[in-house]
Amino acid sequence: MVIKVFLASSSGSTAIKKKQQDVVGFLEALKVDYTPLDIACNEENRMWMRQNVPEEKKPTNGIPLPPQIFNEESYCGDYETFFDAKEDNSVYAFLGLPPPPGSKEVPMEERNGDAHREDEQAQAAEEEGEGGEDVAEGETADDEATEGETAGDEALAEEEEEAVEETDEVTEDTQARAQEEEQEEADEDREEEEAEVQEEEEGLEETQEEEAE
């Protein structure tokens, strides 16, 4: 399996250059074999990349920006999805490669197995809870008296929970506004990058037309 990384060697965008360096540098640090494919100097590479990036993964203008990562013919993702995989310690799964011996990354098969075990544990907990309800139905008068004594403690606990929830709501609103601002900045950066790439491509096409003439 060959990992293909589509790059633009002559890109005038600083952001694109940095993203390309991040991807290449991380792959080299992991000692992952990859093949860099230049879309700036090779029209065939550029057309292949555009045609093989899934439609749902393309930006609104339909022109995917480098870096784009493939495993043979299978699409892996762009810089953003690569970065997310790196943060989740799941780069090998992102690339469709088995993690090497000694790697901290858990193979996808084991990840699925862990999820299955978690489902079984949750189901067992529910069954135990149902059994506990049957026992609760046979509570004695002494148990009911104890519940009356703890009612005041429960009311106090509810008040504390409401105060915590109000604090959480304020925190969530602050985080939501911060995320919206980050998203707006990211959208602006992407639009600038797309405009720069489009200008470069138009210049490249003009040059190729002049050479053809």
Side-chain angles (χ1 to χ4, degrees):
M1 294 182 288
V2 178
I3 302 300
K4 302 176 182 178
V5 182
F6 288 85
L7 310 167
S9 60
S10 61
S11 174
S13 170
T14 303
I16 290 178
K17 288 181 179 178
K18 183 179 183 304
K19 291 177 180 179
Q20 294 177 163
Q21 292 171 356
D22 285 348
V23 171
V24 170
F26 196 75
L27 292 178
E28 291 177 350
L30 292 179
K31 296 182 179 179
V32 173
D33 292 332
Y34 71 95
T35 301
L37 299 171
D38 191 1
I39 66 171
C41 300
N42 189 310
E43 179 68 16
E44 185 177 347
N45 287 341
R46 181 171 61 172
M47 295 305 297
W48 192 95
M49 182 194 78
R50 287 188 179 183
Q51 292 171 359
N52 287 274
V53 172
E55 288 297 328
E56 64 272 15
K57 302 296 183 181
K58 292 181 180 180
T60 52
N61 66 356
I63 301 176
L65 299 175
Q68 297 289 337
I69 307 165
F70 290 79
N71 183 335
E72 293 289 356
E73 311 298 317
S74 300
Y75 181 67
C76 298
D78 57 8
Y79 174 79
E80 281 70 23
T81 50
F82 175 84
F83 181 82
D84 291 340
K86 186 170 69 170
E87 290 294 302
D88 294 338
N89 195 29
S90 59
V91 172
Y92 288 100
F94 168 82
L95 297 173
L97 300 175
S103 173
K104 295 180 181 179
E105 182 171 336
V106 179
M108 288 301 294
E109 293 80 3
E110 294 185 15
R111 287 171 181 262
N112 294 336
D114 290 340
H116 181 64
R117 284 194 293 274
E118 290 176 359
D119 292 340
E120 290 180 345
Q121 292 172 356
Q123 185 175 358
E126 289 179 359
E127 292 175 355
E128 289 177 0
E130 292 174 358
E133 290 177 0
D134 294 337
V135 174
E137 291 177 357
E139 288 180 346
T140 62
D142 291 339
D143 293 332
E144 293 176 356
T146 303
E147 288 178 1
E149 292 175 359
T150 58
D153 294 337
E154 291 178 355
L156 180 60
E158 289 178 359
E159 291 178 359
E160 292 177 351
E161 288 178 359
E162 289 176 357
V164 172
E165 288 176 356
E166 291 177 359
T167 304
D168 291 342
E169 288 176 359
V170 173
T171 302
E172 289 175 357
D173 291 341
T174 303
Q175 291 176 345
R177 285 195 294 271
Q179 290 176 352
E180 289 177 359
E181 292 175 358
E182 290 178 0
Q183 185 62 42
E184 290 175 358
E185 292 178 0
D187 292 341
E188 291 176 359
D189 291 341
R190 178 176 289 276
E191 290 176 0
E192 291 178 1
E193 292 171 7
E194 291 175 353
E196 291 175 357
V197 170
Q198 190 169 359
E199 289 178 1
E200 290 178 4
E201 291 180 346
E202 290 175 355
L204 179 62
E205 290 175 355
E206 291 177 358
T207 302
Q208 290 175 344
E209 291 176 358
E210 291 176 358
E211 291 177 353
E213 292 176 356

